[in-house]
Amino acid sequence: MTRKGCPDEYPVNLVVNGYEIAVFQLTNHDLEDWAYGYLFSEGLIESADEVRSVSFDEGSGSLHVSLDNGFDPEQMFSKKKHYTAGCGRGVTFFSMTDVKNFKKVSSRETYTLSYILKKRSEFAQNSPFYLETGGMHGACIIHEDGSIEVREDIGRHNAVDKIIGYAIRNRLKAERLVLLTTGRISYEMLSKAARFGFAVIGSRTAATKQAVQLAKFLNIEVAGYLRGKMATVYTSAGRIIPDLEPGYPGNRFERGEAEPVLN
């Protein structure tokens, strides 16, 4: 039997402008991306330009962030906390009502299902920490040119924050990107993606009923169970072309022309 290594997990104390926000359980990689992504996802910044500096003190396990935007900790902590579900449980300060006020997505970009499945397979093959341990979550951005960028963490929320942070730091345009994740798409995961403006979100597992309702309201396409030649498209925004359905014109899998897609 092949023995895999154990996933890394560290307590990281997030300190913003000298104020301790909370201690998070994180995988100790791409912490700067995570800081940008988490602060954006929770509404503490609107762009990378508001971040003056990010530094990690490995000795104390503190991640220090300096903001230029008049950060008010009292206003933040006065908001009601919503505890997230599942592994790597965290806290979000956005309620369902808050998320419904996010800007609706208007992207007209479309993708064939076979393309998304192929990219999910590529994502799986380019997740080194998962391949090493078998116990990590990942999040992936598909760029307009088809290239991908992957971030991993012990928690699915953290992985998504990391990839959003990468996108923010690189000034990427959300409407031209696809977000893939290994974790369940719950309402708080959907809210992170919606705040950044992703038009298409996919996962190898399920989406919750609340997430799907929210996605429909915000005009976001959501696909789950991206495995092999199969998927469940929960929404009807028209951005995922069902080219694998039996009888669909030009179905490459029926003609045996498509590359095999790995789980």
Side-chain angles (χ1 to χ4, degrees):
M1 178 184 293
T2 301
R3 291 186 179 275
K4 293 181 178 287
C6 295
D8 289 332
E9 183 178 16
Y10 298 93
V12 175
N13 182 27
L14 178 62
V15 182
V16 179
N17 287 4
Y19 293 91
E20 294 187 1
I21 303 299
V23 176
F24 299 82
Q25 293 299 121
L26 288 159
T27 301
N28 194 10
H29 298 277
D30 302 304
L31 291 180
E32 189 168 0
D33 282 341
W34 175 79
Y36 277 80
Y38 176 79
L39 294 173
F40 178 83
S41 295
E42 293 302 324
L44 301 183
I45 62 171
E46 296 297 327
S47 73
D49 297 331
E50 297 174 25
V51 181
R52 186 186 302 126
S53 65
V54 178
S55 62
F56 181 57
D57 182 346
E58 193 167 353
S60 66
S62 294
L63 186 63
H64 294 272
V65 181
S66 177
L67 299 183
D68 254 340
N69 63 358
F71 165 68
D72 183 356
E74 291 186 5
Q75 182 179 7
M76 176 184 179
F77 293 127
S78 68
K79 294 182 179 180
K80 183 178 180 180
K81 296 179 182 178
H82 298 265
Y83 289 93
T84 58
C87 64
R89 193 173 99 163
V91 174
T92 180
F93 292 93
F94 282 123
S95 67
M96 178 72 81
T97 302
D98 293 329
V99 179
K100 283 187 175 180
N101 289 323
F102 288 176
K103 184 178 179 180
K104 293 186 178 182
V105 173
S106 59
S107 172
R108 294 185 179 180
E109 298 288 328
T110 59
Y111 308 87
T112 62
L113 182 56
S114 60
Y115 174 79
I116 291 177
L117 286 166
K118 181 178 179 180
K119 290 300 172 182
R120 203 214 70 80
S121 174
E122 189 177 333
F123 167 25
Q125 295 172 50
N126 287 274
S127 300
F129 298 132
Y130 175 79
L131 293 174
E132 179 185 346
T133 68
M136 296 284 280
H137 276 295
C140 167
I141 279 177
I142 306 174
H143 291 276
E144 190 176 9
D145 65 359
S147 61
I148 66 171
E149 189 72 28
V150 176
R151 292 291 182 270
E152 296 179 89
D153 196 272
I154 190 73
R156 60 193 175 94
H157 308 91
N158 299 335
V160 170
D161 281 332
K162 285 180 178 181
I163 203 66
I164 290 175
Y166 161 81
I168 292 169
R169 294 177 65 199
N170 288 276
R171 273 73 173 177
L172 302 183
K173 296 187 180 297
E175 63 270 16
R176 298 187 178 275
L177 305 171
V178 173
L179 172 65
L180 300 180
T181 175
T182 58
R184 182 179 63 254
I185 302 175
S186 50
Y187 112 78
E188 70 275 7
M189 290 282 279
L190 196 285
S191 72
K192 290 178 184 291
R195 176 153 166 74
F196 184 66
F198 287 109
V200 178
I201 307 168
S203 173
R204 76 179 306 276
T205 185
T208 67
K209 185 176 181 179
Q210 274 190 312
V212 172
Q213 291 173 340
L214 190 57
K216 290 178 178 178
F217 183 80
L218 295 174
N219 196 32
I220 297 171
E221 197 84 285
V222 174
Y225 296 109
L226 295 170
R227 303 174 185 180
K229 302 177 185 179
M230 301 173 59
T232 298
V233 180
Y234 295 99
T235 49
S236 55
R239 297 192 186 93
I240 297 179
I241 300 169
D243 62 326
L244 303 184
E245 290 186 358
Y248 189 89
N251 186 322
R252 296 167 58 224
F253 279 109
E254 285 192 345
R255 296 201 306 268
E257 296 177 5
E259 297 178 13
V261 180
L262 303 177
N263 285 323

